Amino acid sequence: MENVLLQCITIFFISMVPFLEVFLTVPTAIIVFNFPPFVALIVAILGNAISVLLFVFFGAEINNLFHSVYNKFRKGDRRHVGINPRIKRTFDRFGATGVCFLSSILFSSQVGAGAITTLGASRRKVFIWTTLGVSTLAVVMATLSVVAEGLVSPLVNL
């Protein structure tokens, strides 16, 4: 029981890490830890949703902290860097809802949520659409993990 709890905590906290999110945690939970797909989804989505919530409410502060640390290590030009061009292109093409929904695929759900909130979008809508996008991606990853495990297991006699 304590091993399963430790595995759940591991999946929960790794899903909070930008760029790892559900890409790493859902397959790990299903294939490595042998979690049922529904449990893997719930733990990974909850961990990611909490980190997105932090970025939604503290996105501007996180952005300012990042830029102040970045500028300390830069030599020469210390101008403030604007919004990520990839986020800006996605925003221009799909709007705030599209960026929130697609952010976990294109860059990171936390980065997308923080950036869109900084641009003035509704925090509630950003959180809802980002979580829906992450949940959709998590379901896709769970499906792929189950299919991959089913295809690979007979080959390696697991």
Side-chain angles (χ1 to χ4, degrees), residues 65-78:
L65 176 67
F66 171 77
H67 286 298
S68 66
V69 170
Y70 178 74
N71 284 333
K72 280 187 181 183
F73 291 108
R74 272 187 73 136
K75 306 229 188 303
D77 188 18
R78 291 183 166 228

Side-chain angles (χ1 to χ4, degrees), residues 8-9 18 24 35 50-51 56 59 63 65 67 82 87-89 95 100 104 142 145 148 152-154:
C8 280
I9 291 170
L24 177 68
F35 281 8
I50 289 173
S51 69
V56 164
N63 190 25
L65 176 67
H67 286 298
I87 295 173
K88 179 73 172 119
R89 279 193 313 269
C100 293
S104 58
S145 298
V152 173
S153 289

Side-chain angles (χ1 to χ4, degrees), residues 84-97:
N84 183 319
R86 195 172 190 182
I87 295 173
K88 179 73 172 119
R89 279 193 313 269
T90 307
F91 180 75
D92 290 342
R93 188 168 182 191
F94 299 109
T97 303

Side-chain angles (χ1 to χ4, degrees), residues 14-25 48 51-52 55 66 84 86-87 103-112 134 137:
I14 291 176
S15 69
M16 295 176 113
V17 177
F19 305 105
L20 297 180
E21 303 171 357
V22 296
F23 285 111
L24 177 68
T25 56
N48 188 271
S51 69
V52 166
F55 274 78
F66 171 77
N84 183 319
R86 195 172 190 182
I87 295 173
S103 63
S104 58
I105 296 170
L106 299 175
F107 22 89
S108 166
S109 60
Q110 295 92 342
V111 172
V134 167
L137 180 61

Side-chain angles (χ1 to χ4, degrees), residues 36-49:
F38 185 72
V39 173
L41 287 172
I42 296 300
V43 173
I45 291 169
L46 282 175
N48 188 271

